[in-house]
Amino acid sequence: MASISAGLALGTDAVFAQDEETNVQNLPPVEVVAPAAAPRQARQRGPTREVRQVRPRTRVYVYPTTPGTSASVDVDKVPASINAVDSNQIRRTRSPDIADALQQYVPGLSINEVTGNPFQPDVQFRGFVASPLAGTPQGLAAYQNGVRINEAFSDIVNWDLIPTAAIRSATIVTNNPAFGLNALGGAVNLQMKDGFTYHGAEVDIMGGSYGRIQGSAQWGKQVDNWAVYGAVEAAHDNGFRNFSSSDVRRFYGDIGYRFEGTEFHLNGGLANNFLAGPSTVPAELLQQYWGATYTTPQTIANKVGYLNLTGKVEATPTWTFDGTAHVRGFSQKTVDGNPTDTERCSVPAGFLCFGDDTTPAFGLNGLQLPDPFAPDAILSQIDRTGTRSTTFGVSGQGTNSDQFFGHENRFVIGATYDVSSTRFNATSELGTVGENYVVTGSGVFLGRSGVPTSIGPVSLRTVNQYQGLYVLDTFNVTDRFSVTAGGRFNAARITLHDQLGTALNGDHTYNRFNPVIGGTYKITPEVTAYAGYSEANRVPTPLELGCADPANPCLIGQFLISDPPLKQVVSKTVEAGFRGTKELNIGSLGWKIGGFRATNHDDILPIPIPGLTGFGFFQNVGSTRRQGIEAEVSLKSNVLQFQASYAFLDARFLDALQVGSDSPFADADGNIQILPGNQIPRLPRHLVKASVEYAVTDAWKVGGDALFVSSQYFVGDESNQFPKLPSYTVFNLHTFYQINETFQIYGRVNNVFDNRYSTLGTFFDTDDVPNFTSGGAAFSDPRSLSPARPRAFYAGLRARF
C-alpha cells in the first residue's frame, strides 16, 4: 500500500496566495509514495551492487479515519459516508462561522440559533447535536488538528472560538469509534492551514446590514524546511434584535519544520468574544416586532487559549509514527435574566418565599429574605455562571502499510490521554423586570432555597480523566474489495468536589469497548458500494451528574444540587450506500446515496419540573432511534459549481416516559406522556439544499443557494400533540468580480425574499411575566420561538498578495 503523507505541501511557489484546488467531493489532495519495489541487481563485472529505484510520487484523495494526521486512507476504502467541505466553499459563504458552510454543503446537517446568536448555533447532523448551550445532550465530537475541542464541563462546542479563516478542510466522519467520546452521530474534523499548504498573504474586509463589520488577514510562507502561518479575525454585529450586539476576536498561528519524512508543528490560538444570546421569545411579542427579546440581559463571554505540539516521523518505508501534546484553557461567563419562582409570602408578610407563598426564600446568610421591592414590582432574577477549565492531553499513533499475505494492508494503532480540571460557580441575584423586559438587579442574592432545595450558590471543582486505545485495520481482499475492522476502548473517570458542602461530591468511572467493521466494493472504477457497523459512547458530563436527582431539581445548566449516578449512552449504528465520480466534458461529477440507522441505549435527556420555570434534572430515558437517507449530486468545473442534496430523518423515542412540560396538552400535574414511536422534537424530517456558482466571464462569477427545512415538533412536545413549527425555505445570492490579480470585490444577499421564519420552537410559562405589549395582560400563546435573521446585504473587498 502506498505511503500517505496527509500534510505535504502542494502549494504553488507563486508570489500571490492561491486558492487550493480540491476534487473527489471537496477533499484537498495529498502526495502518495508508491510502494517500494524489491531492489534489483545490475549486471556488471565484479561484485554485484544494488541499483536504488526512485519511488514515484503522485496525488490522491484520502479521508481521515482517526484523529491522527497519518491514518487517512484512500477515499474509496472508507466504509461510511463521505462529507467534506473545502476552504473555497467556506470562504464562499462569507461567514465567520464554520457552521454556515457545513449547513450549506453537508447533506443532513442543519443549524438553528437556539441561543439567538449567529456565532453560536446548534449544529444538528442525523439527529445528533453539537451545541454551545450547556445542558444540551452532545452527540457529536469536534476535533481541531486532531485535538478534541468539546469543552470539559458539559461537552459543549463553542463554534465562535474556531478560527474559520484558518480552516483548510472540514469533514464529518461517521460510523467510526476511533474519534472517541461523543461521536454517537459522528465527528466534525477540522484540519487547519499551515505554511506548507498555504503560501502568500490575504486580507478580507466586509460590512453590511445590522452593523456587521468583519475582517480577516492571513499569511503563510515556506523557507527551505521551515514554514510559518498566521491568521487573525475580528467581527462586530449589532444583531437584528434588541440587546443583541456581539464582538468576535480570534488568532491562529503555526510554525512547521520538515525534513526527509519528519515533520513537526507548533500551533496555537487565542479568542476573546463577547456575545449576546437573546434566546427564544414569545410568539406574541414577535407578532408585534420581529426583533423583540424577552428577559434580558443574556450575554456570554468566551475566552480560550491553546497550544499544540505535533510531530510525525516516517521511521521506515512502511511505519509512520505521529503524536500530539496539547494544553487548552477555557473561560466562560454567562449573565442571564430570567423569570423567578421567588414570590411574596402570604405568611409571614413582608418576606420572600420560593416556589410557593409559604416556603421561605433564604439569603446567602441562611436567613429568610425580607421583601425590599415596591408593591407593584414584578420579581425576576439574574443568573450568573462562571466556568474555567484547563485541559492537558497527549496522543500517539503508529501506522503500518506492510503487505499481509501478499495483499495491501493498512494498520493503525493509537492511544490518547486527556485530563481536565474545571471550576464552576453560579449565583442568582433577585431583581425586577421592566416593560422593555430588561431585568434590573437589586443586589439581593438567593441562598439555598426551595423544598426540595432547587436553587442557591454553587461552587464546584471537577476533574475529568479520559483515556482511549484504538486499533483499525484496512485489508484489501482484492483490488476492488476492502475490509475495515477494529475498535476503541474508552475509559473515563469524573470526580466532583463540592466547594460549599458535600451534596455534589461524587466519583464516577465508565469503561467501554466500541467495535467497528465494514467494507467497500468497487463495482466499477467510478462506482463504490460501502457498508459498515459501529458502536460509540458518551459518558455523562459533570454538569449532568450534578443535576440528576428528580427529588432535587435544579435550574438546568446553572444551579447544581446533588450527584446521583447516570449510565453512559451507547449508540449502535449501521450505514450503507453507494458513491461515485465521473469526469465529464463539462466537469467532474460526484454523487452519493446512502442510509443509516442509529439506536441509542440509555439516552440522557433534561427532564423539566412542572411548576418550576427552567428547573429540571437529567435522566436516562431508555432507547431512542435515528434513521434516514441522504443523497447528493455535485458538478465541479472552472465555469460551473453545482451541488444539490436531500436528506430524510426519522427520529423517535422507543420507550414510554412521563416528563414535565409547559405544553398546553400537559395534564393537571404539568406532565405529558411520551409513547414508543413519538418523534423527537426539534429535528426536521426533510432537508433539501442546492447551490450554484457560474462564471459569466473569467473575472465575474454569480451564484446562489437555497435551503428547505421541513416542519418539526416543538421542544417540550415530546408527546407530539401540538401543531408543528412550520417549514421554511430561504434563498441567498452572491457575486464577486476579480479586478486584477490582487483585488476582488464581492457582494452577498441573505434571505433574498425576506422570509420571516423560526428555526426552533419551545414553550414557556405564560404566567411568569405580563405581556406589556397588550397592557400587562397575561400571555395567551405558549409558543416561544427563535426568529431567523431578515434580509441582509453585505459587500466586501478581498486582496491577495
Side-chain angles (χ1 to χ4, degrees):
M1 178 173 285
S3 173
I4 296 175
S5 301
L8 289 179
L10 299 173
T12 176
D13 293 330
V15 176
F16 290 84
Q18 300 293 316
D19 296 334
E20 186 174 36
E21 295 294 330
T22 61
N23 208 329
V24 189
Q25 299 178 354
N26 312 314
L27 291 168
V30 298
E31 282 193 351
V32 168
V33 180
R40 61 182 177 84
Q41 294 181 343
R43 292 185 178 181
Q44 61 176 8
R45 295 176 182 178
T48 61
R49 62 182 179 87
E50 292 185 353
V51 178
R52 298 177 62 87
Q53 293 183 329
V54 177
R55 298 171 66 190
R57 307 177 80 90
T58 186
R59 296 180 179 184
V60 299
Y61 300 92
V62 298
Y63 201 70
T65 55
T66 71
T69 60
S70 63
S72 300
V73 301
D74 189 325
V75 68
D76 289 329
K77 299 175 183 178
V78 177
S81 177
I82 301 296
N83 300 286
V85 179
D86 64 29
S87 59
N88 299 323
Q89 293 172 313
I90 296 171
R91 188 185 64 254
R92 200 174 297 145
T93 65
R94 309 296 179 184
S95 172
D97 190 344
I98 180 60
D100 287 320
L102 296 177
Q103 174 174 250
Q104 185 168 325
Y105 295 109
V106 176
L109 188 147
S110 64
I111 65 177
N112 65 62
E113 294 182 9
V114 63
T115 65
N117 190 289
F119 302 107
Q120 280 209 319
D122 271 8
V123 171
Q124 298 177 169
F125 178 67
R126 293 186 173 182
F128 297 91
V129 181
S131 172
L133 186 63
T136 302
Q138 309 287 338
L140 297 174
Y143 284 81
Q144 180 179 317
N145 269 1
V147 176
R148 183 174 178 266
I149 57 174
N150 295 76
E151 303 296 351
F153 186 63
S154 55
D155 286 341
I156 60 175
V157 180
N158 287 296
W159 302 101
D160 64 291
L161 300 178
I162 298 173
T164 304
I167 297 174
R168 186 188 182 201
S169 68
T171 53
I172 308 294
V173 182
T174 65
N175 210 31
N176 189 338
F179 283 83
L181 298 175
N182 294 93
L184 307 181
V188 180
N189 188 43
L190 305 176
Q191 291 299 318
M192 313 303 286
K193 299 174 184 176
D194 56 48
F196 295 122
T197 61
Y198 183 91
H199 299 160
E202 176 181 324
V203 176
D204 196 322
I205 300 173
M206 189 189 83
S209 299
Y210 311 110
R212 171 67 66 89
I213 301 174
Q214 67 183 54
S216 66
Q218 54 184 319
W219 175 76
K221 186 175 179 62
Q222 180 178 350
V223 179
D224 298 326
N225 296 333
W226 291 87
V228 62
Y229 172 83
V232 293
E233 295 176 294
H236 171 81
D237 192 286
N238 289 335
F240 72 96
R241 299 173 65 184
N242 296 333
F243 314 109
S244 59
S245 177
S246 296
D247 290 283
V248 172
R249 297 169 292 269
R250 301 185 291 230
F251 165 78
Y252 178 82
D254 181 281
I255 298 174
Y257 174 80
R258 174 193 299 158
F259 180 72
E260 294 184 353
T262 299
E263 186 169 339
F264 293 93
H265 287 269
L266 179 66
N267 55 66
L270 298 168
N272 184 0
N273 304 335
F274 181 83
L275 311 171
S279 192
T280 60
V281 63
E284 290 176 74
L285 296 183
L286 287 179
Q287 292 167 3
Q288 300 294 323
Y289 174 49
W290 194 250
T293 55
Y294 182 67
T295 61
T296 58
Q298 292 175 326
T299 62
I300 304 167
N302 283 339
K303 295 181 181 180
V304 74
Y306 52 91
L307 195 64
N308 308 322
L309 176 64
T310 65
K312 183 179 69 174
V313 177
E314 294 180 3
T316 72
T318 58
W319 271 105
T320 299
F321 297 95
D322 61 79
T324 300
H326 62 271
V327 59
R328 179 182 179 92
F330 168 69
S331 170
Q332 182 179 78
K333 294 181 179 179
T334 69
V335 180
D336 189 7
N338 285 310
T340 184
D341 285 289
T342 304
E343 58 186 271
R344 294 177 173 86
C345 297
S346 60
V347 178
F351 286 84
L352 296 177
C353 288
F354 188 86
D356 55 44
D357 61 359
T358 59
T359 302
F362 296 106
L364 297 178
N365 59 3
L367 301 177
Q368 186 172 2
L369 289 172
D371 182 3
F373 302 103
D376 59 347
I378 300 172
L379 302 189
S380 56
Q381 65 189 48
I382 299 177
D383 300 314
R384 296 179 175 88
T385 68
T387 306
R388 291 183 293 114
S389 298
T390 303
T391 300
F392 300 91
V394 293
S395 65
Q397 180 175 280
T399 304
N400 177 264
S401 58
D402 283 315
Q403 289 192 346
F404 188 65
F405 290 108
H407 294 257
E408 290 184 1
N409 188 73
R410 191 167 187 82
F411 173 77
V412 180
I413 184 170
T416 65
Y417 176 77
D418 292 276
V419 58
S420 302
S421 176
T422 300
R423 290 189 177 273
F424 175 81
N425 299 281
T427 62
S428 182
E429 179 186 7
L430 292 177
T432 58
V433 61
E435 293 187 1
N436 58 355
Y437 294 100
V438 174
V439 179
T440 302
S442 65
V444 177
F445 287 82
L446 276 171
R448 297 180 66 82
S449 303
V451 177
T453 300
S454 53
I455 198 169
V458 176
S459 182
L460 176 68
R461 179 177 178 267
T462 68
V463 177
N464 304 28
Q465 298 180 67
Y466 297 149
Q467 302 168 67
L469 177 65
Y470 58 87
V471 176
L472 283 178
D473 189 87
T474 300
F475 177 72
N476 285 12
V477 181
T478 68
D479 291 340
R480 293 185 173 186
F481 180 38
S482 297
V483 174
T484 296
R488 173 169 174 142
F489 177 77
N490 291 322
R493 182 181 181 185
I494 302 171
T495 56
L496 290 81
H497 305 278
D498 195 334
Q499 306 297 290
L500 299 178
T502 60
L504 289 174
N505 289 345
D507 192 343
H508 308 266
T509 59
Y510 302 91
N511 299 287
R512 194 170 203 284
F513 177 76
N514 296 313
V516 60
I517 187 167
T520 63
Y521 183 75
K522 211 166 182 60
I523 300 172
T524 72
E526 298 168 334
V527 178
T528 300
Y530 67 88
Y533 170 83
S534 70
E535 298 179 8
N537 72 305
R538 83 169 183 92
V539 299
T541 67
L543 172 64
E544 292 169 334
L545 290 168
C547 182
D549 186 353
N552 289 277
C554 57
L555 194 58
I556 295 292
Q558 296 181 0
F559 294 97
L560 311 184
I561 301 299
S562 61
D563 179 50
L566 287 171
K567 299 177 182 178
Q568 61 186 330
V569 182
V570 175
S571 183
K572 301 180 179 181
T573 301
V574 60
E575 69 172 288
F578 301 87
R579 57 176 174 260
T581 60
K582 187 174 182 62
E583 294 298 321
L584 305 175
N585 293 333
I586 58 174
S588 299
L589 174 69
W591 62 271
K592 63 183 179 183
I593 183 170
F596 66 91
R597 182 171 185 166
T599 302
N600 282 11
H601 301 269
D602 296 316
D603 217 348
I604 297 175
L605 292 179
I607 307 299
I609 293 294
L612 287 176
T613 302
F615 286 82
F617 61 97
F618 294 94
Q619 177 179 308
N620 293 109
V621 296
S623 298
T624 59
R625 184 181 63 213
R626 297 154 178 86
Q627 59 187 356
I629 297 172
E630 298 161 349
E632 181 186 51
V633 61
S634 63
L635 183 65
K636 195 172 187 178
S637 72
N638 293 331
V639 176
L640 180 67
Q641 305 271 343
F642 171 78
Q643 187 169 2
S645 67
Y646 167 76
F648 168 76
L649 173 66
D650 180 61
R652 299 182 182 273
F653 295 98
L654 299 184
D655 293 308
L657 182 68
Q658 182 175 274
V659 299
S661 174
D662 285 315
S663 167
F665 290 92
D667 60 23
D669 295 323
N671 295 313
I672 58 174
Q673 181 65 47
I674 300 175
L675 299 176
N678 283 153
Q679 294 180 38
I680 300 175
R682 90 181 209 166
L683 301 177
R685 289 170 65 83
H686 305 278
L687 289 174
V688 182
K689 306 177 185 181
S691 63
V692 62
E693 184 176 88
Y694 177 71
V696 181
T697 68
D698 289 341
W700 180 30
K701 292 185 178 181
V702 297
D705 56 86
L707 170 68
F708 168 78
V709 179
S710 70
S711 59
Q712 56 190 279
Y713 284 105
F714 281 70
V715 176
D717 187 29
E718 287 79 5
S719 59
N720 299 170
Q721 296 173 281
F722 195 81
K724 290 183 177 181
L725 183 73
S727 62
Y728 61 87
T729 304
V730 61
F731 296 88
N732 308 311
L733 296 175
H734 71 268
T735 185
F736 70 85
Y737 182 78
Q738 195 72 39
I739 300 173
N740 54 36
E741 194 174 21
T742 300
F743 294 104
Q744 176 191 107
I745 56 175
Y746 61 85
R748 185 173 181 88
V749 183
N750 288 343
N751 194 0
V752 173
F753 299 108
D754 200 23
N755 187 14
R756 301 302 170 95
Y757 62 94
S758 298
T759 59
L760 180 136
T762 185
F763 301 118
F764 77 109
D765 191 334
T766 57
D767 296 325
D768 277 340
V769 178
N771 183 352
F772 295 116
T773 63
S774 64
F779 286 97
S780 59
D781 188 337
R783 296 177 301 156
S784 186
L785 308 175
S786 180
R789 181 165 292 214
R791 181 168 49 222
F793 299 88
Y794 304 102
L797 172 68
R798 179 189 180 209
R800 297 185 294 179
F801 307 96

